[in-house]
Every structure is written in structure tokens, then in C-alpha cells.
């Protein structure tokens, strides 16, 4: 890019839906609509929404700007370090940062396009709705939304490892849930790092943002292959779009 050439603006999954960049009016309409869509799929969270505004939890998500991501995978290391700490002499320290354990995963495509995938916190949570375990007294299934951060969590003591949640996310949204290789229970759901997202803080290129309220993750829910096709068509020409690997 030459010095006189303006740097490209943000490019998110919402821009890529339907292969058309959403104009400002569309974006505002979607954001307003999603702000009104408060019906989530279990009683526990509905009860929280019945509280006053000051007590209500706020949906938050990690938003990716594909124009900035270089595929360096620092986010994977940061995530694994924070979410899988180690204890040394009684002191809890950040873990080794094995990317395999990360809740954000960077998919690499050819021609060069890097697509970080992380739970987009869909308000209609098809993953939770797919869980066949009967709700408990709190209205929570074995897969449920954390009452405070609204992240997706699993109760291993009730989970029957049926893969229904992972299948729902994989086929209807982004494929954020990866079953454990040994137990088949769901893993890799974003924890938002307790409200201090480490991937956002440590991304060297500012490709990740922590968005609180207003947006509905389901509008950003595109599988990585679909995103890659759109990115490659934009960056390398439409003829390359069908050659995604
Ligand atoms: S750290 Fe940032 S630039 Fe690197 S792969 Fe992750 S999102 Fe992309
Ligand atoms: S992205 Fe997947 S895991 Fe996250 S809320 Fe949506 S369906 Fe559930
Ligand atoms: S917010 Fe935290 S848990 Fe979620 S992807 Fe980023 S580092 Fe991982």
C-alpha cells in the first residue's frame, strides 16, 4: 500500500454476510433490532432480565477485523495462557499457552486469508437449545449461559457427551464448540476471560475488539470457510474465491 493510499476500514463478518458491505443504515437497524431481541433460551437468564436495568447482564463478544488480522496467532497463545493456568509452589501462573487449548482458533486458507473463529455469543443460542438434558431447578441445561457474563458453559456432572451442542454450532453458526477428544464433552467456548479479554489486549495488530451490548452475535455467525471465500474474492479477485483450501 502506498503512503497516499488510504488504509482500509474495518472488515467484519457483518460486512461479509451476503457478500455485501452493510451500509451504516443497515448496521444501525441490525444493532437496534438485536438490542431488542432479549429472548434467550432458558429460564435462568430470562429471570435475570426480569431484574432492573442496573442488574441485567450485558451481551458481549469478540469482534474480528479481517483487514487487520495477519494470522500471527498471538491470540491463541494469550487465550490458552489465561484460561489454562498452572500452579507453581502454590502460586497460580499463566499457562504455557498451547494453541490447541485456545478458545479462539485462527483458520488459515490459501490464497492467504486468516480467519479467527470464536464464539459470537448468539442470543438465540442454538447450542443451548440443542442440549437434550432436562433443565434443573434454575432452568439450566447441561449447556447453559453463565448468568453474569452470558458466556456458554458446560456442567460436566450433567453432560451426557452427546455432541448435540457442538453439532448445532457447527451447522448453524461458527463451529466454536470443539468436543474433548477423550470425553466428547463440549470445550473451547469463549469465557471472555472473566470480562478482560486477553486476546483483545495482546493482539499486536488491533484486529480484535471487545464489544459490549448492542450487537447480536448471530448476525456475525458465519463459518470460517464462507468468510474465507468472501475475503479471498475481495482481496485477490472473484476468480480466486472458489479455490479456498
Ligand atoms: S493475534 Fe490478532 S492478528 Fe494475530 S492471529 Fe489473532 S487476531 Fe489475527
Ligand atoms: S457461536 Fe456457537 S457456542 Fe457460541 S452461542 Fe452461538 S451457537 Fe452457541
Ligand atoms: S476473550 Fe478470552 S476466552 Fe475468549 S477468545 Fe479471547 S482470550 Fe479466549
Amino acid at each position: 500500500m502506498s503512503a497516499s493510499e488510504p488504509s482500509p476500514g474495518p472488515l467484519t463478518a457483518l460486512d461479509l454476510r451476503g457478500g455485501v458491505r452493510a451500509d451504516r443504515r443497515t448496521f444501525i437497524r441490525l444493532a437496534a433490532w438485536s438490542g431488542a431481541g432479549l429472548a434467550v433460551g432458558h429460564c435462568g437468564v430470562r429471570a435475570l432480565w426480569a431484574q432492573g436495568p442496573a442488574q441485567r447482564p450485558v451481551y458481549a463478544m469478540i469482534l474480528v477485523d479481517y483487514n487487520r488480522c495477519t494470522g500471527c496467532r498471538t491470540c491463541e497463545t494469550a487465550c490458552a495462557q489465561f484460561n489454562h493456568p498452572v500452579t507453581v509452589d502454590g502460586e497460580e501462573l499463566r499457562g504455557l499457552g498451547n494453541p490447541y487449548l485456545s478458545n479462539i482458533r485462527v483458520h488459515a486458507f490459501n490464497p492467504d486469508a486468516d480467519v479467527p473463529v470464536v464464539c459470537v455469543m448468539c442470543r438465540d443460542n442454538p447450542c443451548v437449545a440443542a442440549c437434550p438434558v432436562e433443565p434443573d431447578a434454575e432452568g439450566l441445561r447441561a449447556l447453559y449461559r453463565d448468568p453474569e457474563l452470558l458466556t456458554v458453559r458446560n456442567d460436566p456432572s450433567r453432560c451426557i457427551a452427546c455432541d448435540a451442542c457442538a453439532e448445532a454450532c457447527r451447522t448453524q453458526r461458527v463451529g466454536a464448540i470443539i468436543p474433548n477428544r477423550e470425553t466428547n464433552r463440549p470445550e473451547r467456548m469463549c469465557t471472555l476471560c472473566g470480562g478482560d479479554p486477553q486476546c483483545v489486549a495482546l493482539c499486536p495488530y488491533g484486529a480484535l475488539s471487545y464489544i459490549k451490548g448492542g450487537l447480536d452475535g448471530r448476525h456475525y455467525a458465519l463459518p470460517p470457510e464462507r468468510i474465507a471465500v468472501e475475503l479471498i474474492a475481495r482481496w485477490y479477485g472473484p476468480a480466486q474465491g472458489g479455490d479456498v483450501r
Side-chain angles (χ1 to χ4, degrees), residues 38-245:
L38 304 180
V40 284
H42 64 80
C43 308
V45 174
R46 271 205 297 273
L48 277 162
W49 279 102
Q51 299 176 355
Q55 288 80 39
R56 283 178 186 162
V58 175
Y59 279 93
M61 62 179 282
I62 304 302
L63 188 63
V64 180
D65 180 350
Y66 304 107
N67 271 343
R68 287 177 175 259
C69 179
T70 66
C72 71
R73 300 178 67 188
T74 303
C75 52
E76 294 182 349
T77 301
C79 181
Q81 283 182 327
F82 184 86
N83 288 283
H84 296 273
V86 293
T87 302
V88 178
D89 294 335
E91 185 183 359
E92 188 173 279
L93 304 171
R94 287 183 182 242
L96 296 175
N98 180 353
Y100 177 74
L101 301 174
S102 175
N103 301 331
I104 185 169
R105 293 174 298 284
V106 183
H107 294 241
F109 294 90
N110 183 18
D112 187 25
D114 299 290
V115 182
V117 171
V118 61
C119 171
V120 291
M121 309 290 174
C122 320
R123 295 192 185 189
D124 59 345
N125 44 231
C127 51
V128 174
C131 179
V133 173
E134 283 295 313
D136 65 10
E138 303 290 317
L140 305 182
R141 300 177 186 273
L143 199 79
Y144 62 98
R145 304 301 287 247
D146 176 85
E148 291 182 9
L149 278 176
L150 300 178
T151 51
V152 177
R153 302 184 66 174
N154 177 242
D155 178 355
S157 70
R158 299 170 65 223
C159 178
I160 60 172
C162 66
D163 197 46
C165 54
E167 170 78 7
C169 183
R170 190 165 52 241
T171 57
Q172 299 178 46
R173 301 298 154 88
V174 303
I177 299 177
I178 306 291
N180 181 284
R181 280 183 185 165
E182 293 175 2
T183 67
N184 207 39
R185 293 198 189 98
E187 289 183 345
R188 320 283 197 90
M189 295 83 76
C190 173
T191 66
L192 292 175
C193 297
D196 183 17
Q198 297 300 295
C199 55
V200 175
L202 295 174
C203 172
Y205 301 98
L208 303 173
S209 302
Y210 185 34
I211 307 293
K212 295 180 80 173
L215 302 182
D216 186 339
R218 83 182 98 169
H219 300 308
Y220 294 85
L222 287 174
E225 295 78 13
R226 167 89 184 278
I227 291 174
V229 166
E230 296 287 348
L231 294 178
I232 289 168
R234 282 165 183 251
W235 294 341
Y236 305 105
Q240 296 287 339
D243 193 29
V244 169
R245 291 188 287 273

